[in-house]
Amino acid sequence: MDRIFSGIQPSGEIHIGNYVGAIRNWVQLVNQYECIYCVVDYHAITIEYEVSSMQRRILETATILVACGLTPDKCTVFVQSHVPEHTELTWIFNCVTPIGELERMTQFKEKSKQHRHNINMGLLDYPVLQAADILIYKAGYVPVGEDQTQHVELSREVARKFNARYGETFPEPQVLLSTAPRIAGTDGQAKMSKSMNNAIGLLDPPEVIQEKLRTAATCPHRERRSDPGHPEHCNIFTMHTAFSKTDQIDHVEKGCRSAGIGCIECKELLSENMVEELSLIQARVREINEKPGYIIDVLKSGASRCKTIATAVMDEVRQKIGIKSDW
Ligand code: TYM
């Protein structure tokens, strides 16, 4: 069975962009592939963060993944730092990765602007750690949102460079995009992201979701109720395609184009569907939180499974690069 790897940062509340762009797709893939999903805590320390809340955020993120359906009987969920071979392989990959490739990464450029006073090596090296995450398991497929495709491309290049220098070892992993690979924020412009303050949280209560949607940006070309709208330019419509049923999407699209329905009605329908889907996840989160130690056990057994694979691959890598000794 082909192997899948993907990861998510424990950097604050998980939002619906993470959910429809990645997590929901991860759940669908568990039946066809051997899936490994990771809470990437070492990636999250490349920007300023609150040390005292890190443990809570790691556990919260893992809880959400399991609540979404990534249960231990179907796939492996673990924490990156629990398998230190990820960072060990990163060092080796650093020695085959051209700095120029890292400097041209869009996310590095964006984060360098956002965190002007903390442009650290980790920020530049971020995609190499990501390549090590994927390749330490020799994963063939990586389900991510659109913003991560460039990083997965880089991991292909890292695999190529390593293989060319040391002999065929790693596959070139391929991106798998979901049907909603880029969700804009409630501002309707920037990508939905916790740091932009434009996110709808997966754990937001119904009234918060309703309020965030009520005030969210719609089609910029529709100023009055009587103007026909352009669903292809409206982020609310994109969200409908992710949360509503086919006949509802059809109804909204036709209604918007003909000015048959207004933005308020359209948002109310979306709000209902979103609340319905998220409330199931929220109920499961509550259930999991009532079982003390459950998530920790899931993460421990996940790490132990991953450690077995990672140790074997690191052995092979050390051998190939001439570092393995028989002393
Ligand atoms: P992260 O934590 O930023 O996001 C997790 C996943 O959510 C997707 N995503 C979105 N999809 C659609 N619309 C959005 N607005 C949106 N925002 C986020 C991301 O594309 C991602 O798939 N670098 C990765 C984590 C990582 C990783 C890996 C991924 C570390 N190692 C190895 C794959 C393989 C990241 O920051 O994801």
Side-chain angles (χ1 to χ4, degrees):
M1 210 189 224
D2 282 326
R3 191 174 280 155
I4 280 208
F5 181 95
S6 200
I8 185 162
Q9 297 194 62
S11 45
E13 214 182 303
I14 308 299
H15 52 72
I16 59 157
N18 300 130
Y19 176 61
V20 299
I23 303 170
R24 202 167 58 181
N25 203 19
W26 297 0
V27 178
Q28 278 160 10
L29 293 163
V30 296
N31 298 321
Q32 287 157 268
Y33 297 90
E34 180 201 344
C35 296
I36 304 179
Y37 300 122
C38 182
V39 179
V40 293
D41 49 354
Y42 277 150
H43 277 108
I45 66 167
T46 54
I47 55 168
E48 299 270 344
Y49 68 101
E50 211 183 295
V51 174
S52 62
S53 62
M54 186 53 118
Q55 277 307 307
R56 179 183 52 75
R57 287 194 275 117
I58 291 170
L59 290 175
E60 218 172 77
T61 305
T63 303
I64 289 179
L65 296 186
V66 176
C68 287
L70 300 172
T71 48
D73 53 320
K74 299 204 180 103
C75 61
T76 303
V77 176
F78 78 110
V79 179
Q80 185 184 41
S81 66
H82 295 182
V83 184
E85 283 76 8
H86 289 228
T87 36
E88 192 177 354
L89 185 58
T90 302
W91 178 255
I92 295 162
F93 282 170
N94 278 339
C95 302
V96 297
T97 309
I99 294 181
E101 292 291 322
L102 298 177
E103 284 170 335
R104 69 176 188 82
M105 291 288 114
T106 310
Q107 188 174 301
F108 173 65
K109 291 189 205 154
E110 277 171 8
K111 286 200 175 166
S112 300
K113 274 190 211 143
Q114 274 172 26
H115 306 278
R116 260 179 221 290
H117 305 292
N118 184 21
I119 306 177
N120 59 70
M121 272 301 297
L123 214 50
L124 182 66
D125 209 27
Y126 183 111
V128 182
L129 176 56
Q130 185 158 346
D133 292 339
I134 300 165
L135 296 174
I136 193 98
Y137 303 105
K138 298 192 176 184
Y141 300 93
V142 187
V144 283
E146 200 176 77
D147 63 321
Q148 293 299 314
T149 52
Q150 197 183 33
H151 286 169
V152 181
E153 271 297 320
L154 186 100
S155 71
R156 294 166 64 86
E157 166 134 25
V158 170
R160 274 200 296 275
K161 290 253 193 272
F162 184 97
N163 292 346
R165 171 89 175 80
Y166 298 111
E168 199 61 30
T169 310
F170 295 110
E172 285 183 36
Q174 290 175 37
V175 167
L176 292 180
L177 288 180
S178 78
T179 48
R182 186 186 185 278
I183 295 287
T186 46
D187 51 6
Q189 284 165 14
K191 183 189 77 167
M192 182 173 288
S193 130
K194 183 81 203 305
S195 61
M196 299 297 288
N197 208 11
N198 64 1
I200 298 177
L202 219 53
L203 302 185
D204 278 349
E207 59 283 7
V208 173
I209 295 175
Q210 276 148 13
E211 184 55 19
K212 283 183 182 174
L213 284 178
R214 193 183 64 78
T215 52
T218 52
C219 168
H221 310 292
R222 192 175 188 193
E223 285 169 15
R224 288 171 300 263
R225 166 73 177 76
S226 51
D227 294 340
H230 304 269
E232 66 278 15
H233 296 142
C234 179
N235 191 38
I236 298 293
F237 182 70
T238 309
M239 293 194 223
H240 264 295
T241 60
F243 285 97
S244 302
K245 296 185 191 70
T246 319
D247 57 331
Q248 293 173 325
I249 299 170
D250 214 42
H251 164 73
V252 164
E253 181 169 13
K254 289 197 183 111
C256 176
R257 284 195 201 286
S258 62
I261 64 166
C263 294
I264 296 176
E265 193 186 325
C266 171
K267 284 173 164 184
E268 275 168 2
L269 181 61
L270 172 63
S271 184
E272 257 171 48
N273 293 337
M274 203 182 276
V275 166
E276 191 182 320
E277 186 160 344
L278 300 195
S279 59
L280 296 174
I281 296 169
Q282 295 173 3
R284 278 199 296 267
V285 165
R286 283 193 295 273
E287 270 167 40
I288 295 171
N289 286 339
E290 276 163 21
K291 295 193 256 179
Y294 173 74
I295 282 296
I296 291 175
D297 288 346
V298 169
L299 296 175
K300 276 188 181 160
S301 67
S304 137
R305 249 208 85 240
C306 289
K307 181 95 187 160
T308 310
I309 307 172
T311 310
V313 173
M314 268 319 293
D315 254 5
E316 183 190 351
V317 167
R318 277 192 219 97
Q319 181 115 41
K320 292 235 163 100
I321 66 170
I323 299 264
K324 190 168 190 300
S325 53
D326 304 320
W327 312 337

